[in-house]
Amino acid sequence: MSVLPDLAPWRASVDFRRLWASGLISNFGTFLTFVALPVQIKDLTGSAAAVGAVGAVELLPLILFGLYGGALADALDKRLLILWTEAGQGLLSAALLLNALLPHPAVWPLYAVAALSSALGSVQRPALDSLWPRIVAHDDLPAAAALNSFRWTVGGVAGPAVAGLVVAYAGLGWAYGADLVTFAVSVVLILPIAASPASHEAAKPSLRSIAEGARYAWSRKELLGTYAVDLAAMFLAMPLAVLPFLADELDAKWSLGLMYASIPAGSLLVSVVSGWTSRVRRHGRMVVLSAALWGLAIAAAGAAGNVWLVLLLLAVAGGCDMVSGIFRGAMWNQTIPDELRGRLAGIELLSYSVGPTLGQVRAGGMAGWLGVRASVGVGGLLCAGTVGLLALCLPALMSYDARTNEHAVRLRARRTAAPTQL
């Protein structure tokens, strides 16, 4: 039995290959900015709270546009939404580049771009997530989730590692400029993808349609469990906002890019050997276990005093997060009907994006109160404990089985009767 990734989605769908390659390239550039922007705020303000405040300005656009973006994804052509939001992100990278080239760069444009980027990403992500089930066969969706995770983690490893060197030796402008170029290439790759119009059963975007999606999500306790577990894990244990200060405390400024890259590096390792995930059927249990282990690894990283041990523990945490993400994605894609997919993807976006966004505020604020290492360690312990409590309170999540779950069985039969045009 091979542990290597299952390449069936890549072989079967040309649109999957195009979208995958587009994401690989733009993710690399996004991670350059992901490192450069907090470093620039740190350099301009010297404040951990100011770096953490990026999460605060991203939060409201994330919530508003995530929910409405899900409704748009169900009602409009998904390809066009992805295309125009990708182009918009490129314009924001251009704004960061121009600000960085000023003799005295301003702080407020960094927060403005963070908020606008959050809005565009929140519109794009539901369309992207709801497009995968249309271009990939039903039984290949777990493999597609693993391949998409691999794509994300390649950018997550290479982007921060390169960004640390670029920012240190070439300057912030080069990082922002490279991000702009990657968005331009990504748009070119998206252009040939086939149109993906709304399902004839999809509701028009409105508060009523958003409420309909929320009611469906509430009726699916196993889905609620995945949202709650991921929200807790990211809010309580995401350490990214304080990594520039952690590197300083460990007297290892050179390690900042590696710190940012370590979590995705662990994720990348898991995705490379992800073939085993297609044979697992108890997805809910894997979500809970891996989220708890993520918290414990982060707690250990906060307690460690050696920079190399910190990097190793961050990589272990990233691997655990990847396992959780693969099985959350498989549960979502294999059980949610097409006409609700965009709105549910908007709710999913909140679960895995609001957590890290608020987590930046938590990490920065707690660092100012307890210290940087205590912020990381205490957050990890709180995460592990909270995930354990959620597992006790959500039996539907723990008992989920992809072979017997009524929603998975129904959607499998529906896809078999009307297969996706690949």
Side-chain angles (χ1 to χ4, degrees), residues 49-62 111 115 356-361:
V51 176
V54 172
V57 302
E58 291 173 339
L59 181 59
L60 185 59
L62 182 62
Y111 290 108
T357 302
L358 286 175
Q360 293 186 70
V361 180

Side-chain angles (χ1 to χ4, degrees), residues 66 87 130 195 280 301 418:
S130 59
V280 176

Side-chain angles (χ1 to χ4, degrees), residues 65-243:
F65 288 91
L67 291 173
Y68 192 65
L72 288 174
D74 281 337
L76 303 177
D77 188 302
K78 304 179 197 306
R79 170 188 167 276
L80 286 178
L81 278 176
I82 295 168
L83 183 63
W84 285 111
T85 51
E86 193 80 351
Q89 294 280 24
L91 292 177
L92 294 180
S93 295
L96 289 174
L97 173 60
L98 291 174
N99 182 62
L101 294 177
L102 294 175
H104 302 287
V107 175
W108 70 263
L110 306 181
Y111 290 108
V113 167
L116 291 171
S117 179
S118 176
L120 287 175
S122 299
V123 172
Q124 183 187 80
R125 192 59 182 262
L128 188 61
D129 286 350
S130 59
L131 181 59
W132 297 117
R134 287 191 171 189
I135 62 177
V136 175
H138 181 84
D139 289 340
D140 289 339
L141 286 171
L147 289 172
N148 284 331
S149 298
F150 175 79
R151 173 205 66 186
W152 181 86
T153 53
V154 167
V157 173
V162 172
L165 297 174
V166 170
V167 170
Y169 296 105
L172 293 161
W174 284 94
Y176 296 140
D179 191 16
L180 173 59
V181 171
T182 63
F183 277 119
V185 175
S186 176
V187 167
V188 172
L189 288 170
I190 294 170
L191 283 171
I193 292 175
S196 184
S199 166
H200 69 280
E201 299 172 347
K204 299 298 181 183
S206 65
L207 291 177
R208 182 176 180 180
S209 69
I210 293 172
E212 180 186 1
R215 284 194 298 272
Y216 177 83
W218 183 258
S219 72
R220 296 281 310 280
K221 302 307 181 188
E222 69 276 28
L223 289 185
L224 286 179
T226 65
Y227 304 151
V229 166
D230 191 46
L231 185 63
M234 295 297 101
F235 170 63
L236 294 170
M238 180 57 78
L240 298 182
V242 298
L243 290 185

